[in-house]
Amino acid sequence: MTTATQLPPGVRLVEPARAHDPYRDMDLLRFSTAGSVDDGKSTLIGRLLYDTKSIFEDQLEAIEGATKRRGETGVNLALLTDGLRAEREQNITIDVAYRYFATPKRKFIIADTPGHVQYTRNMVTGASTAELAIVLVDARKGVLTQSKRHGFIASLLRIPHIVVAVNKMDLVDYSQDVYDAIRQEYTEFAEKLDIKDLIFIPLSALEGDNVVSHSANMTWYEGTTLLHHLETVNVGADRNLVDFRFPVQYVIRPHQDFRGFAGRVASGTITPGEEVFVLPGGRQSRIRSLESADGELHEAVAGDSVVVTLEDEIDTSRGDMIVRKMNVPTVATRVDAMLCWMNDEPLDPSVSYILMHTTRQVKAYVSQIHYRVDVDTLHRQETDSLGLNDIGRVELTLAQPIFLDPYQINRVTGSFILIHPHTNVTVGAGMIRGEAKTTAELFAHGGGDQATAISPNVVWEGWNVPREERETRNGHKATVLWFTGLSGSGKSTIAARLERRLFERGCQTMLLDGDMLRHGLNGDLGFSPADRRENIRRVGEVSRLFFEAGNIVLCTFVSPYRDDRDRVRALLPEGRFMEIHVDCSLEECQRRDPKGLYARAAEGSIRDLTGVTSPYEEPVNPEFVARSDIHSADDIAVQLEVRLDADGILKA
Amino acid sequence: MSTQPQHHSYRKSHLAQLEAEAVYIMREVAAQFERPAILFSGGKDSITLVHLARKAFAPGKFPFPLLHIDTGHNFAEALEFRDWLAESTGAELIVRYVQDSIDQGRAVEETGPLASRNSLQIVTLLDAISELKIDCAIGGARRDEEKARAKERFFSHRDAFGQWDPKNQRPELWNIFNGRKAQREHFRVFPLSNWTEMDVWQYITREGIALPSLYFAHPRRVFRRGSMLMAESEHLPLLAGEATEERTIRFRTVGDITCTGAIESVAESVDAIISETAALRVTERGGRADDQRSEAAMEDRKRQGYF
């Protein structure tokens, strides 16, 4: 670097700021807005910008001038945001536009999505990066199908927070009855969707009621103003900080002695020294260092752009993925996904599209279209194609595997786009449900996703009181948490702590412990492979009964065989079986030896002890890995509770 | 995972998030294109781009040359800065001149006292892109600058004639960027899309990024034209009734001298500029004569292939 004395006069060096400045260290919230043509969306955004003093004088003057030229009076706030000339001419927003404003509490990025023809495509685009969505409803018109469509897309794209802004309250005399009716109707509709946080705010964007300050016209409304909600809503907890995924973006090799893999952490966290796998192939190594231009890091977290170096020379390039040894994504060439079609030319099953997933590009064709969702009624319709703005469930067949997680738990490794091979245009956006299974595989697994599986020939009467009703009454979903791991790894301790936490927050729970069941129901069984298998089969059936009774069932069983665990998994609906690998080294388990089993095995008084004389098959793709040799049982219990919350289990 | 509760420091500040996003984009460009270049205007946004490029590829060198389209109407300080930056980063600097396009008859100079070479840059830029076979030009444009830019993509496709079609943009979802294109087409990529003017200034002070001295308050001979203060220059002949006087001013943008307006200011440090920017009630581009021509001025230029 040139020193100051040699600097040309045109160059001014700037000292890096050292003092902490809260304005340099602000939180950022990305939200989307959607509304129909006359819901007043542009006015609402204009109002937010205007009232937070984010509009400059020259912009305001330009708009005053334009308002006058259109023969209107005052300031037409909508003109601030309707960008393109075509829109100004037709008075319609036609593409996603991004707006920026800040308050002393937060910075905001608005994805402003239009409400007309191309609207599903645009809404999906805007929603893909949003953490909160504002759905506008015109108080005079009530809940239109379009408002429902917005809610559906927001839930499909898994925006965790939704605000229904009941606008134009000034035109219904600020009537609480009107507001209550809209609120009730929309709440009923939203129960069919998967929305974590839904709130309603009555407002008038034109007059400014309840946008920035409380309205004197609606003293009956005791909730928050829109801006206050935007400034305070907690969005930090919505990221996946559990499953470390690092898609390799670019290899940096300035000289022979340095080989770094540049990329952005898609999810999870990682520290130097951790054991990792590189996909495809599963070559194993350790993280040597996490590099950045500002020096080495001691940890990298979801969202960070870093450079990773490994202990071993592994031939790795763009499109590969670095993951933790014990927590790997699904490697699949057949993918089950919800697909939104974004092009005038309909989906053509004979075309090999290019599928972009993280930093990987593979050829893919749509091998099956299961159904199309009518976004207004949420009904499923049979179809053999998808047209512009259609959303459907499809199966894709890929030329090479991708490394995926369900979109529900990972927005980065669960999303992809389809590109037309000739026009190079982005034609589709996909949200992965999982690896696609054939009908035969579905039957073998006892039905899989109950909502969509093809009915087998056996007629199943169903439970007298359906589980859904029990879940509604309990205020949370039923699920099975399956703790597997060596004896002494801490399964029972962790499960007991977690159950106590869940019970105290009002959940219906049941803990099934290996020893306990062997005293009664399974008292006739020993420890041979066949008996172990039967043991787990019975436990699986018992846990299913408790599950159907609406419980969060915590099962702690060594369960050494993969097949057995998968069989239990197959008894339960998708997303309701969490395999938790309690991972602890054999040495540590032997040191702890809470039941004296290892000591007895050493003496020879026990013949079959998992990990010593009989095998333990580690889970290939568990939902959760608990490193009980590193973390305390209490910490793991807290992490699991956070995870259950994030997965939406702790809500009805 | 630490033994601390999960939610402590994992939420990153806005500047950290914007930086990580811009670095990600820079690397996508390097991975998806064969001959990318940074469009270097000499302004703070393109200087910030160069800084981000350095960070994105450290400890290696960033794999882009700097391309400067020179209108010939420069501030001397801006050129000094440009050459110093290229030298201190070791980047290749490529300059193409609007004057050459005029001499070759590829561009026709505007006439009259308010003539500007701003729109002529389009010709020189597109010629340079095809001459150098550049398939991706990285620019420092931000969406907050102007209404037409609010709908711009990070990866903005240009047809074989360098044109942008605002009605037919590729949808851009999540952080997946589609840089596929046919022969002769190219991309403009804008890593600072989500940054505001304030973010750029805050980042400059956080990182300690050197700038042209023009951004800081200094005495200069200027004259008033319309609502703007213009620098005295051989390229700006005075009109009847105009007279120069010395004022203490600074520039909020640095571009062609004939269309870059100054503001009166005593801000000598970045912190002072930030306080002033927070209080300013006029957009940066409010000081640019080229945008004031018509309500849709920017959109018209963009359609033709402007930066």
Side-chain angles (χ1 to χ4, degrees):
Chain A
M1 210 52 158
T2 327
T3 61
T5 48
Q6 298 166 295
L7 277 184
V11 178
R12 262 286 291 273
L13 296 184
V14 173
E15 271 295 303
R18 283 194 192 83
H20 173 73
D21 176 354
Y23 291 107
R24 249 193 338 264
D25 203 21
M26 279 169 56
D27 197 18
L28 183 67
L29 173 69
R30 297 172 196 244
F31 67 93
S32 70
T33 54
S36 312
V37 181
D38 297 317
D39 286 344
K41 178 171 57 71
S42 294
T43 308
L44 177 64
I45 294 171
R47 169 63 62 188
L48 279 171
L49 300 180
Y50 187 78
D51 284 1
T52 56
K53 303 196 167 38
S54 309
I55 299 172
F56 290 107
E57 271 171 16
D58 53 334
Q59 289 175 325
L60 205 55
E61 278 167 19
I63 285 154
E64 279 167 353
T67 309
K68 263 191 213 123
R69 280 199 298 282
R70 294 156 60 103
E72 299 164 358
T73 52
V75 179
N76 184 339
L77 288 174
L79 290 181
L80 265 176
T81 56
D82 287 342
L84 300 183
R85 174 182 286 183
E87 295 166 2
R88 280 200 292 279
E89 283 161 2
Q90 298 163 28
N91 261 333
I92 297 168
T93 323
I94 54 172
D95 198 351
V96 185
Y98 295 86
R99 323 278 172 201
Y100 304 83
F101 73 100
T103 70
K105 298 212 175 82
R106 247 182 198 168
K107 290 217 156 206
F108 300 93
I109 300 179
I110 313 176
D112 176 12
T113 61
H116 89 145
V117 205
Q118 297 211 332
Y119 143 57
T120 298
R121 154 186 152 149
N122 288 321
M123 170 90 198
V124 168
T125 302
S128 72
T129 52
E131 298 159 295
L132 177 147
I134 298 178
V135 174
L136 268 110
V137 174
D138 185 331
R140 292 171 308 173
K141 296 180 189 159
V143 179
L144 302 178
T145 47
Q146 294 191 341
S147 329
K148 295 181 179 174
R149 211 191 273 195
H150 295 144
F152 168 66
I153 292 171
S155 85
L156 183 71
L157 273 285
R158 301 204 68 81
I159 301 181
H161 306 275
I162 294 181
V163 178
V164 178
V166 183
N167 192 23
K168 306 202 180 180
M169 288 298 293
D170 53 318
L171 299 182
V172 296
D173 297 328
Y174 299 104
S175 156
Q176 182 174 6
D177 290 343
V178 171
Y179 168 75
D180 284 343
I182 290 173
R183 184 191 163 106
Q184 192 186 341
E185 186 182 351
Y186 204 88
T187 304
E188 279 167 19
F189 162 75
E191 277 167 5
K192 287 187 261 178
L193 304 174
D194 190 3
I195 297 172
K196 280 191 187 174
D197 170 35
L198 175 70
I199 75 156
F200 294 81
I201 301 176
L203 51 83
S204 164
L206 195 67
E207 304 297 331
D209 297 275
N210 287 338
V211 178
V212 171
S213 39
H214 278 280
S215 167
N217 297 314
M218 289 178 275
T219 46
W220 48 264
Y221 173 72
E222 288 172 347
T224 169
T225 63
L226 178 61
L227 185 67
H228 182 258
H229 184 64
L230 294 175
E231 285 183 327
T232 53
V233 62
N234 178 19
V235 286
D238 305 319
R239 289 182 308 158
N240 181 335
L241 293 171
V242 176
D243 311 307
F244 174 69
R245 305 283 185 263
F246 186 79
V248 174
Q249 201 184 357
Y250 189 79
V251 181
I252 290 176
R253 192 161 206 183
H255 48 79
Q256 285 301 311
D257 303 329
F258 187 92
R259 186 177 171 82
F261 306 110
R264 198 170 183 191
V265 181
S267 57
T269 65
I270 196 81
T271 52
E274 287 196 66
E275 285 193 323
V276 290
F277 262 169
V278 182
L279 298 170
R283 292 145 299 171
Q284 198 173 327
S285 186
R286 274 178 198 278
I287 304 280
R288 174 191 286 166
S289 64
L290 300 167
E291 309 271 344
S292 82
D294 303 316
E296 286 194 19
L297 307 172
H298 65 275
E299 183 179 37
V301 180
D304 290 353
S305 281
V306 295
V307 175
V308 168
T309 66
L310 300 179
E311 291 286 358
D312 306 277
E313 275 271 331
I314 293 182
D315 184 28
T316 299
S317 55
R318 178 174 168 87
D320 294 354
M321 189 183 281
I322 302 176
V323 299
R324 255 204 205 93
K325 192 182 156 202
M326 296 316 298
N327 179 339
V328 297
T330 303
V331 179
T333 52
R334 284 176 43 226
V335 176
D336 176 7
M338 296 301 291
L339 182 66
C340 173
W341 199 252
M342 312 197 123
N343 202 257
D344 294 324
E345 298 235 332
L347 164 65
D348 182 348
S350 70
V351 171
S352 268
Y353 295 99
I354 292 143
L355 182 145
M356 266 186 103
H357 173 260
T358 66
T359 57
R360 213 167 158 77
Q361 290 191 23
V362 300
K363 283 191 178 162
Y365 65 91
V366 175
S367 38
Q368 208 177 337
I369 304 175
H370 295 296
Y371 55 81
R372 172 173 60 206
V373 181
D374 180 327
V375 286
D376 295 330
T377 63
L378 303 190
H379 290 151
R380 294 165 182 183
Q381 304 162 330
E382 264 192 49
T383 181
D384 48 14
S385 182
L386 295 176
L388 179 63
N389 294 317
D390 279 350
I391 293 171
R393 184 165 166 200
V394 302
E395 180 191 304
L396 295 118
T397 302
L398 281 48
Q400 281 96 36
I402 57 170
F403 320 123
L404 62 88
D405 295 289
Y407 186 77
Q408 191 177 6
I409 60 168
N410 199 321
R411 270 172 118 175
V412 181
T413 54
S415 56
F416 64 85
I417 61 170
L418 287 184
I419 301 167
H420 194 281
H422 304 312
T423 62
N424 292 319
V425 169
T426 304
V427 291
M431 287 135 281
I432 296 171
R433 295 171 52 94
E435 184 176 7
K437 301 227 162 72
T438 62
T439 322
E441 285 164 337
L442 274 176
F443 282 131
H445 283 255
D449 182 348
Q450 294 177 337
T452 52
I454 302 154
S455 305
N457 294 326
V458 181
V459 180
W460 174 248
E461 288 292 337
W463 306 92
N464 183 38
V465 178
R467 190 183 72 246
E468 289 71 18
E469 286 183 34
R470 298 177 194 271
E471 290 179 331
T472 305
R473 192 173 67 182
N474 288 346
H476 63 83
K477 298 199 176 70
T479 194
V480 172
L481 308 177
W482 190 272
F483 294 79
T484 171
L486 300 177
S487 176
S489 60
K491 299 181 296 298
S492 303
T493 316
I494 296 167
R497 302 277 162 86
L498 177 62
E499 188 193 25
R500 178 49 68 180
R501 294 184 70 90
L502 293 173
F503 181 76
E504 272 164 18
R505 67 185 270 179
C507 296
Q508 190 92 343
T509 63
M510 185 63 195
L511 180 73
L512 299 177
D513 183 77
D515 292 349
M516 198 170 66
L517 265 82
R518 278 183 178 278
H519 285 141
L521 177 66
N522 295 345
D524 57 328
L525 300 176
F527 290 88
S528 70
D531 279 4
R532 282 179 187 275
R533 191 150 289 162
E534 176 60 13
N535 180 38
I536 297 304
R537 190 193 70 79
R538 292 183 194 175
V539 170
E541 292 293 343
V542 171
S543 66
R544 187 188 177 186
L545 291 173
F546 278 105
F547 170 79
E548 291 297 345
N551 287 276
I552 296 177
V553 193
L554 300 92
C555 306
T556 60
F557 296 91
V558 176
S559 50
Y561 303 121
R562 224 168 262 152
D563 278 357
D564 294 349
R565 297 190 301 258
D566 286 348
R567 227 165 276 142
V568 180
R569 179 188 289 274
L571 291 173
L572 297 154
E574 202 178 295
R576 299 298 182 88
F577 178 83
M578 185 190 262
E579 189 174 8
I580 297 155
H581 180 199
V582 182
D583 185 12
C584 186
S585 66
L586 180 62
E587 295 71 38
E588 176 63 17
C589 293
Q590 283 170 330
R591 195 189 60 74
R592 293 178 186 169
D593 202 8
K595 297 175 196 156
L597 296 176
Y598 292 104
R600 286 167 61 198
E603 292 165 5
S605 59
I606 303 180
R607 272 196 309 148
D608 293 317
L609 183 58
T610 301
V612 181
T613 49
S614 62
Y616 177 75
E617 298 174 3
E618 289 194 345
V620 180
N621 190 17
E623 276 76 9
F624 195 95
V625 177
R627 291 291 305 273
S628 61
D629 50 354
I630 299 178
H631 302 295
S632 73
D634 281 320
D635 282 345
I636 294 169
V638 171
Q639 288 166 13
L640 279 165
E641 188 183 347
V642 168
R643 171 67 178 263
L644 288 173
D645 225 341
D647 287 356
I649 296 294
L650 301 183
K651 278 195 177 164
Chain B
M1 260 179 283
S2 72
T3 47
Q4 296 292 313
Q6 285 279 317
H7 23 277
H8 60 300
S9 64
Y10 286 157
R11 188 87 186 161
K12 299 284 172 181
S13 78
H14 72 287
L15 289 182
Q17 288 187 50
L18 292 171
E19 180 190 68
E21 178 180 80
V23 163
Y24 179 81
I25 306 268
M26 290 280 183
R27 292 167 174 172
E28 277 303 289
V29 169
Q32 291 197 37
F33 297 95
E34 281 168 26
R35 297 172 70 92
I38 292 180
L39 289 181
F40 187 75
S41 71
K44 67 177 191 312
D45 298 325
S46 62
I47 293 165
T48 301
L49 276 186
V50 172
H51 182 82
L52 287 162
R54 285 161 76 163
K55 294 192 85 166
F57 299 95
K61 246 188 70 179
F62 61 87
F64 319 120
L66 309 181
L67 173 63
H68 181 217
I69 302 301
D70 187 340
T71 63
H73 299 162
N74 299 301
F75 291 100
E77 295 92 332
L79 291 187
E80 283 171 13
F81 185 90
R82 178 195 76 186
D83 295 342
W84 169 81
L85 185 70
E87 203 192 313
S88 64
T89 57
E92 184 192 358
L93 174 67
I94 303 170
V95 184
R96 289 295 178 269
Y97 300 92
V98 171
Q99 187 63 51
D100 290 344
S101 303
I102 294 169
D103 294 346
Q104 292 156 10
R106 309 248 323 132
V108 180
E109 186 133 44
E110 291 181 12
T111 53
L114 300 177
S116 157
R117 285 184 166 182
N118 213 45
S119 60
L120 303 190
Q121 290 179 82
I122 299 167
V123 175
T124 314
L125 172 65
L126 292 179
D127 284 353
I129 283 173
S130 77
E131 174 210 336
L132 302 164
K133 298 190 171 60
I134 290 170
D135 54 1
C136 174
I138 308 168
R142 310 186 316 263
R143 287 173 178 153
D144 82 320
E145 282 178 75
E146 213 272 342
K147 277 199 286 190
R149 283 191 167 154
K151 307 192 172 187
E152 184 60 279
R153 304 295 194 256
F154 278 94
F155 273 45
S156 182
H157 177 258
R158 301 301 151 105
D159 66 18
F161 304 96
Q163 298 178 110
W164 180 67
D165 179 1
K167 276 197 166 171
N168 193 22
Q169 297 197 79
R170 295 178 180 182
E172 209 162 70
L173 298 109
W174 298 290
N175 58 349
I176 309 178
F177 298 102
N178 172 5
R180 297 181 65 96
K181 55 172 185 50
Q183 284 287 321
R184 301 179 62 87
E185 296 177 346
H186 75 278
F187 270 81
R188 303 289 169 82
V189 169
F190 305 107
L192 305 182
S193 288
N194 276 334
W195 298 48
T196 63
E197 183 185 11
M198 185 59 89
D199 297 329
V200 174
W201 280 117
Q202 287 173 337
Y203 187 69
I204 285 169
T205 166
R206 186 183 96 155
E207 299 285 300
I209 302 174
L211 288 180
S213 55
L214 294 163
Y215 279 106
F216 301 90
H218 59 284
R220 181 177 291 265
R221 292 202 69 80
V222 292
F223 64 94
R224 193 165 286 283
R225 176 168 288 172
S227 60
M228 302 198 297
L229 276 181
M230 305 300 291
E232 179 183 59
S233 157
E234 53 171 330
H235 303 297
L236 278 170
L238 295 184
L239 302 179
E242 290 175 347
T244 62
E245 59 184 320
E246 184 166 295
R247 294 284 189 97
T248 300
I249 58 104
R250 66 180 180 85
F251 295 91
R252 285 179 79 190
T253 63
V254 170
D256 184 296
I257 202 166
T258 64
C259 52
T260 303
I263 57 166
E264 292 197 76
S265 165
V266 292
E268 290 179 357
S269 68
V270 177
D271 283 343
I273 291 173
I274 288 176
S275 325
E276 219 178 73
T277 304
L280 272 177
R281 302 303 308 144
V282 179
T283 60
E284 279 171 295
R285 299 199 74 89
R288 292 185 67 138
D290 42 330
D291 284 344
Q292 298 193 341
R293 291 185 177 180
S294 85
E295 203 191 335
M298 171 70 98
E299 193 185 328
D300 289 339
R301 274 180 292 127
K302 275 186 64 133
R303 280 173 186 275
Q304 294 163 37
Y306 186 67
F307 293 75

